[in-house]
Amino acid sequence: MSAPDRAAEESDRRAEESEFVRSYTLTGGRTRPRHLLGLDSVLEAGPGRPPGLGQAEECRRIVALCRERRCSVAELAGRLGRPVTAVKVLVSDLLDTDALVLPVIDPYTSSDGDADPRPSGQLLAALSAGLRKKFPDAIDRQAG
């Protein structure tokens, strides 16, 4: 490997390390959000105060993206180029100030006006099976 190639590789390694440190400092060293958020948690801009000067530029970008349209946590992480955990911590801070909200979305809403608004039997069976698997010692009310 030539000297310029080694220098470029070393520069890339330093850039990656500085990005990691940046994410760590961005969250104030916190690695866990205060709110339980999934990758598919949908967010929208809320009525609360917008991010102030003391908050990271990423917070302002998150609120701006959510003002344009609803965004998931995964989408925000991808668009910001930040680790999901760091984005969850920032989103949690913004939820605390009401700058972001988790909208209540009817999960059974369909674009088809004639569709049954209730959950499907398949969904309920899958849910029941999952609960039985997770909690095998739970009392079966049907058993009698």
Side-chain angles (χ1 to χ4, degrees):
M1 185 180 282
S2 67
D5 290 338
R6 277 191 297 249
E9 188 175 293
E10 180 66 22
S11 175
D12 290 344
R13 187 184 61 76
R14 282 192 199 129
E16 287 175 11
E17 287 176 1
S18 68
E19 188 71 20
F20 175 76
V21 172
R22 175 78 170 114
S23 293
Y24 181 80
T25 57
L26 187 66
T27 62
R30 294 172 293 144
T31 58
R32 296 182 193 269
R34 286 184 293 280
H35 298 274
L36 181 61
L37 298 165
L39 291 175
D40 59 347
S41 295
V42 177
L43 302 152
E44 66 182 25
R49 61 182 162 85
L53 295 174
Q55 288 183 302
E57 174 64 27
E58 280 80 357
C59 289
R60 287 188 281 283
R61 289 180 59 202
I62 289 170
V63 172
L65 288 169
C66 289
R67 272 198 187 105
E68 290 175 15
R69 65 181 180 85
R70 291 178 174 164
C71 293
S72 69
V73 170
E75 181 181 358
L76 290 170
R79 293 183 89 189
L80 294 172
R82 295 288 179 194
V84 172
T85 305
V87 171
K88 283 183 178 183
V89 171
L90 296 174
V91 164
S92 185
D93 292 346
L94 293 168
L95 286 169
D96 287 342
T97 64
D98 288 332
L100 291 180
V101 295
L102 290 163
V104 178
I105 301 171
D106 185 1
Y108 308 115
T109 301
S110 171
S111 59
D112 181 9
D114 296 331
D116 189 355
R118 297 172 297 171
S120 69
Q122 183 181 5
L123 174 65
L124 293 174
L127 177 63
S128 178
L131 289 172
R132 271 191 243 112
K133 188 180 209 180
K134 184 163 178 95
F135 304 106
D137 298 331
I139 299 171
D140 186 5
R141 299 264 184 227
Q142 293 179 347

